[in-house]
Amino acid sequence: QKVTDGENQIFLLVPKGKKAPTGYENAIHVSVPVDSAVILSATFGALMRPLEVLDSVVGSGTLENELFIEELKQGYASGRIKYVGGGTMGAPDFEAIQLLKPDIVFCSTGYPDWLEYYNKMKSVGLNVAVCNDYLENDPLARLEWIKFIAAFYEKDATANTYFDGVVKKIDDIRTQTMLSSQYATVLWASIFMGTCYVSNGDSYVAKMIDMAGGEYIFKDLPGSGTSSISIEELYARGNNCHVFIYASTPPYINSIKEIVDNNPVLVDFPTI
């Protein structure tokens, strides 16, 4: 099977015990299914979980206390998974990755530093596959990268079935909400040092809320990225929302109380 990654690398995935066909001398040959992988983004773990291949992960770029996927936490606890650096978007420990001798390293590019890390890993002889799911502006396009990862495990059918099932579930939810007499209004934001960051109207966040039958209150903001607004504007536009989704996770924000303590103006915010 021939697959192309986020940096236009061509991989020829050859089933173990089979001979590679001729004519693909310039492709990166990988025997599949792979037995060991290093993942430098937590989202890759989320894509691997439905494929039931998390037992192949031997190295992670996410610290154990920042993970929510139980299989990965158990891998750390048993010693099977080693932390290889790269947390908070920093550089991975290239030597630590080499020592693990993974069949494949899944990473992202898109930022200059990340592209540098990718090139460094290739230069030391590692097989590096680029999964740029985070660059997609549509939630289903992000999920569709499961098919890319699945190819390295000969799990194509599993990935297709899972993806189609999610699409059907979203369609069912959308149908139910269309029959409802009222849409839930949704505020999605995070706050840092008094400045609020909200997703724009063409972002994957806005599309995800729409898929779920919600009405995103900042859908009028142009573009697919984020905008910064004052906390006063956040309060003025969001105080009548049905749902407030705070876009962060521990250890950065650990509780609603912490949000209010850091931003006292929100103490009587209806959805807090």
Side-chain angles (χ1 to χ4, degrees), residues 6 9 42 60 84 126 129 133 136 143-144 155 162 164 177 197-198 208 219 223 234 250-251 263 271:
Q9 294 185 110
S60 170
V84 295
L126 293 164
D133 56 324
E136 303 286 358
L143 177 60
E144 198 163 22
K155 292 269 190 173
Y162 183 80
D164 292 344
T177 56
Y197 298 90
V198 297
M208 187 164 54
K219 64 182 180 182
L234 180 84
N263 308 279
T271 52

Side-chain angles (χ1 to χ4, degrees), residues 47 50-51 142-151 159 162-163:
L47 293 173
L51 302 173
R142 291 189 172 205
L143 177 60
E144 198 163 22
W145 279 91
I146 192 175
K147 299 178 183 180
F148 173 74
I149 290 178
Y162 183 80
F163 181 83

Side-chain angles (χ1 to χ4, degrees), residues 177 180 182-187 209 212-217 241-243:
T177 56
S180 174
Q182 180 180 350
Y183 280 126
T185 52
V186 180
L187 166 64
I209 292 169
E215 183 176 354
Y216 180 48
I217 66 163
C241 281
H242 299 102
V243 180

Side-chain angles (χ1 to χ4, degrees), residues 159-176:
N160 288 331
T161 299
Y162 183 80
F163 181 83
D164 292 344
V166 171
V167 171
K168 183 181 184 305
K169 187 177 294 186
I170 290 172
D171 288 343
D172 290 344
I173 292 171
R174 187 70 174 151
T175 299
Q176 293 175 35

Side-chain angles (χ1 to χ4, degrees), residues 196-214:
C196 306
Y197 298 90
V198 297
S199 294
N200 295 338
D202 291 325
S203 65
Y204 85 95
V205 166
K207 293 174 182 175
M208 187 164 54
I209 292 169
D210 180 69
M211 281 180 176

Side-chain angles (χ1 to χ4, degrees), residues 99-115:
L99 287 173
L100 294 175
K101 299 180 179 179
D103 295 328
I104 196 73
V105 179
F106 291 112
C107 78
S108 298
T109 55
Y111 290 95
D113 286 348
W114 292 5
L115 185 60

